[in-house]
Amino acid sequence: PNMASSRVDAASTLLALVPAADAVRALVGASATETRSRLRRALAATDDVTPELIDAEVERRLLGAPADTDRAAPTPTSPHAGRSAVDRLFDRARLLDALDRLETFDAIFGPRCPPPPAALAAVPPPLPADPRLSFRQRLLAFLGQSILDVARDAAARGHVYALDVLFTRHGATLLPFRLPVLSLLPLGMDPALYRALLPAIDAASGCELPWPIVPWRSQPDWIETNDGAAALLEAGLQEEEDDDEEDEAEASMSVDLFAKHPQPLTADELTSWFVARIVSIETSSGLVDYAVALCKIAVANVNQASRGLSELLHHLSTLSDLVYGCGHVLLDLGAVRSMDCAAVVDAFLIQSGSDAPHLDPDEYAWRLRTYVLPFCSRAAKLGAPESELNGSIDAALIRASKLNLDFPARVFEMSRDSLPIEDRIISSDVRLASLIIDCAYAAEGAGCSLETYNLLVRCLPKSITDRNSAKENADPEFLSSLAERMSLLVVHVDALGILNKYKLQSTLRHFLDPEARTEAHQKQTLLRMARVYCNTSASDAEWLVLMDDLIYGAGLGLFGDVSSSTYITPPEAEPVILEASREFYDNAPGCDLNTDLRHAMSW
């Protein structure tokens, strides 16, 4: 039985890989109806051919006796006259094949073409017939090709509906060539249009799901049964020297250059084909969105966790976001594959063609949420360490703070602990607090306003010790140190507010400078604050404000290294006060005790 079945497949392939014979082409009429009628009459003339008749003729040939042929000469209405039983056997096979091809031609190009199935609803309608060619010319051209060549031509033209008809009606012949045929579909064609034609793997068996084959004839002819195929091939062996050499060469070339694939396909074989086509789409057409679409279809059709497909989809999704979302049009799949996590994060957050982030902090935060977080999520599923992914984001935020503190500040504002956890960009309170502190002290460029620093303070989580020590498995000593740093940041921002009021400092980096903590520098800060009103007609209220600021600044540690021994005693202060009063008197613009001499009198 297995041998007989293989003979059926071989006979079917042999007939499909060669064009129609001249005798069949001579029966083509001016319409489908006329041609169908002619083919059926010619087919009826071969009804007398039986397996017994073939066996008898083959036996005579083996014994060297002449073949038994009709004595009448062939005519257009009786093309089989004068032909042996073996010849008529081949004629019958070709006529049956021609009738099937006529129905296929009519289904694809006919005037009453049936609507495509629901799976192909989005596919453009079949191509209209060329009005310059007659029906006979078009059908002759169709019959002049093998059914495999018809499928290849339909694929190259992106004629999805035609391929659906061909696979369904001629599946026994074409499905072994399914992947090579589908490979000819244009690379610039939306995969959604030909998704219904793509193979899929059965999750239960791990092999390819069978394509539903529906031949044009519900009942096969006797020569399409095992006995008929055996007789056909046996007779073909005897007639090998009489075969048409041109048709044989064409069939051989088609098979050799368009190799079959095993059926059913395994998951690995289908995965390899998908990967090759996806990479071809990206490298040859540059249509990254189509490559992503086909890769998603591949993941769904393979029906199992293929790391190769998962990694490819991850890299393609990243490339798509970089190209279409961030304007990095010169990147390709190879470049993305070679980039580490930090490089990808930087590419998302850096303006294309520039070394600086976008000028809009809202867009910076939006990119982080829209592109970077999904990238990190995909990479984590593929095994990338979470510490490396978070570290890449943290490093990018710290670098951004050196250029413009407004960028990370907007991210921190969208990560406040008052927001739902699913809406926060940075969900960890511990990580958020550490990043705010690092960015605040790293800032040195634009955006270093007191308003921004106060925003950072407001974004600090209310508590990290109670809520995160168990949840995030943080070291208690680290949490304690972090809490101290948070408190110190609040103190430094308040102190910075006093210094900025007197135009002395603009960034928190001042407090990291060892020089700023020396006694000499702190005395100089005191003097510079006190001299603000020396050459102005400041009111008593303004002097009182200065005194309050000096006292508050001392409480914040601005002058912490200035020892109490530097304060002068009352006896020492008396000559200083008298000298100041005399200076106010000598420099008074007039003699009015209430205005010009007010400071001299008060001192």
Side-chain angles (χ1 to χ4, degrees):
N2 292 336
M3 182 177 295
S5 176
S6 64
R7 285 174 172 176
V8 171
D9 294 339
S12 175
T13 300
L14 176 65
L15 290 172
L17 292 178
V18 297
D22 291 338
V24 172
R25 291 195 289 266
L27 298 174
V28 175
S31 66
T33 303
E34 180 183 351
T35 304
R36 189 177 293 110
S37 176
R38 288 184 178 184
L39 290 173
R40 286 174 177 171
R41 286 199 306 270
L43 181 65
T46 64
D47 288 345
D48 61 332
V49 180
T50 63
E52 294 77 15
L53 188 61
I54 296 298
D55 290 340
E57 182 164 332
V58 170
E59 185 177 353
R60 282 196 300 274
R61 294 194 178 193
L62 289 175
L63 296 175
D68 184 18
T69 59
D70 295 334
R71 295 182 178 179
T75 65
T77 57
S78 182
H80 309 291
R83 295 174 63 81
S84 68
V86 171
D87 292 335
R88 282 181 286 159
L89 179 68
F90 276 107
D91 288 343
R92 185 174 184 82
R94 289 192 174 98
L95 287 168
L96 289 169
D97 183 62
L99 278 169
D100 290 343
R101 294 196 193 193
L102 173 62
E103 299 300 335
T104 300
F105 177 83
D106 204 31
I108 297 175
F109 302 105
R112 293 184 299 276
C113 175
L120 301 176
V123 176
L127 298 175
D130 189 343
R132 297 171 297 179
L133 299 178
S134 65
F135 171 84
R136 175 179 171 78
Q137 290 173 313
R138 289 186 284 113
L139 181 56
L140 283 175
F142 185 81
L143 295 176
Q145 295 178 289
S146 69
I147 202 67
L148 178 58
D149 288 335
V150 171
R152 295 168 66 177
D153 183 63
R157 295 172 180 268
H159 202 332
V160 175
Y161 176 70
L163 288 176
D164 181 72
V165 173
L166 289 165
F167 286 156
T168 301
R169 301 300 183 176
H170 303 272
T173 300
L174 293 178
L175 289 179
F177 302 96
R178 185 178 179 185
L179 292 185
V181 168
L182 293 178
S183 297
L184 295 177
L185 287 166
L187 296 176
M189 188 176 182
D190 186 353
L193 297 179
Y194 56 85
R195 178 171 189 166
L197 300 178
L198 298 173
I201 298 298
D202 180 24
S205 65
C207 293
E208 179 187 7
L209 288 169
W211 181 277
I213 300 176
V214 185
W216 288 113
R217 289 171 286 110
S218 58
Q219 295 296 326
D221 192 78
W222 72 268
I223 69 167
E224 296 169 329
T225 63
N226 293 345
D227 291 340
L232 180 64
L233 292 180
E234 185 178 1
L237 292 176
Q238 300 301 320
E239 293 292 307
E240 183 175 3
E241 296 181 357
D242 300 328
D243 284 341
D244 188 302
E245 295 181 358
E246 182 179 351
D247 288 351
E248 183 181 356
E250 184 175 348
S252 175
M253 182 180 300
S254 297
V255 174
D256 292 342
L257 300 182
F258 213 59
K260 293 182 180 181
H261 56 74
Q263 287 187 293
L265 291 166
T266 64
D268 290 340
E269 291 166 342
L270 183 56
T271 297
S272 299
W273 180 83
F274 270 122
V275 169
R277 180 163 179 85
I278 291 166
V279 172
S280 295
I281 290 175
E282 190 278 326
T283 55
S284 300
S285 70
L287 297 173
V288 184
D289 52 343
Y290 284 178
V292 171
L294 183 58
C295 197
K296 290 180 178 179
I297 294 173
V299 171
N301 283 16
V302 171
N303 254 336
Q304 66 179 25
S306 169
R307 181 170 181 85
L309 281 176
S310 299
E311 287 183 348
L312 182 59
L313 180 58
H314 167 58
H315 292 310
L316 284 171
S317 299
T318 301
L319 177 61
S320 178
D321 289 341
L322 288 171
V323 171
Y324 299 119
C326 303
H328 295 284
V329 295
L330 298 181
L331 285 178
D332 57 20
L333 182 59
V336 171
R337 278 175 162 166
S338 65
M339 296 166 68
D340 58 18
C341 293
V344 173
V345 171
D346 287 342
F348 278 127
L349 300 179
I350 298 297
Q351 184 176 7
S352 178
S354 172
D355 293 330
H358 269 286
L359 300 179
D360 184 359
D362 287 330
E363 184 177 357
Y364 183 88
W366 179 83
R367 283 192 177 193
L368 187 57
R369 182 194 296 278
T370 306
Y371 299 132
V372 176
L373 295 187
F375 162 78
C376 292
S377 176
R378 295 192 305 267
K381 291 178 180 178
L382 293 174
E386 185 177 356
S387 57
E388 179 184 353
L389 298 171
N390 289 339
S392 299
I393 297 177
D394 296 352
L397 288 171
I398 294 173
R399 285 194 298 272
S401 67
K402 296 179 180 180
L403 299 173
N404 192 330
L405 188 58
D406 288 334
F407 293 113
R410 186 69 182 104
V411 174
F412 300 147
E413 192 175 10
M414 298 173 67
S415 306
R416 299 176 68 166
D417 57 359
S418 59
L419 297 174
I421 192 71
E422 62 273 10
D423 294 338
R424 295 171 58 179
I425 294 180
I426 300 173
S427 58
S428 166
D429 289 343
V430 172
R431 182 167 162 237
L432 176 62
S434 298
L435 268 176
I436 289 176
I437 295 171
D438 292 341
C439 290
Y441 288 105
E444 58 184 355
C448 295
S449 64
L450 187 61
E451 179 183 0
T452 304
Y453 283 119
N454 284 324
L455 174 61
L456 296 186
V457 170
R458 292 195 298 272
C459 292
L460 285 171
K462 295 181 178 62
S463 173
I464 59 169
T465 305
D466 297 336
R467 201 159 62 130
N468 293 278
S469 57
K471 180 180 177 181
E472 302 186 20
N473 297 321
D475 182 8
E477 293 184 4
F478 170 78
L479 291 177
S480 177
S481 173
L482 181 59
E484 292 179 3
R485 294 176 64 200
M486 291 169 60
S487 300
L488 186 61
L489 174 64
V490 176
V491 170
H492 282 172
V493 171
D494 285 345
L496 185 65
I498 295 176
L499 294 178
N500 282 353
K501 183 176 180 179
Y502 296 93
K503 301 179 180 179
L504 296 181
Q505 298 296 335
S506 61
T507 69
L508 290 180
R509 293 179 66 86
H510 163 75
F511 299 102
L512 301 180
D513 187 0
E515 178 67 21
R517 293 192 293 271
T518 63
E519 184 175 339
H521 187 277
Q522 292 170 345
K523 285 183 178 180
Q524 185 66 23
T525 300
L526 278 169
L527 291 175
R528 293 176 66 185
M529 290 177 65
R531 288 171 179 169
V532 169
Y533 298 131
C534 287
N535 297 323
T536 63
S537 55
S539 64
D540 290 342
E542 290 174 323
W543 283 100
L544 289 174
V545 170
L546 172 61
M547 183 178 67
D548 291 340
D549 289 340
L550 290 174
I551 295 173
Y552 185 61
L556 294 175
L558 274 177
F559 322 115
D561 289 339
V562 179
S563 65
S564 59
S565 62
T566 59
Y567 298 138
I568 59 178
T569 62
E572 295 173 330
E574 182 177 353
V576 175
I577 294 174
L578 291 175
E579 179 65 25
S581 178
R582 186 178 298 107
E583 184 175 348
F584 278 119
Y585 179 82
D586 293 340
N587 293 295
C591 297
D592 191 329
L593 294 176
N594 295 322
T595 57
D596 302 328
L597 299 176
R598 177 170 55 86
H599 292 304
M601 294 293 293
S602 62
W603 282 74

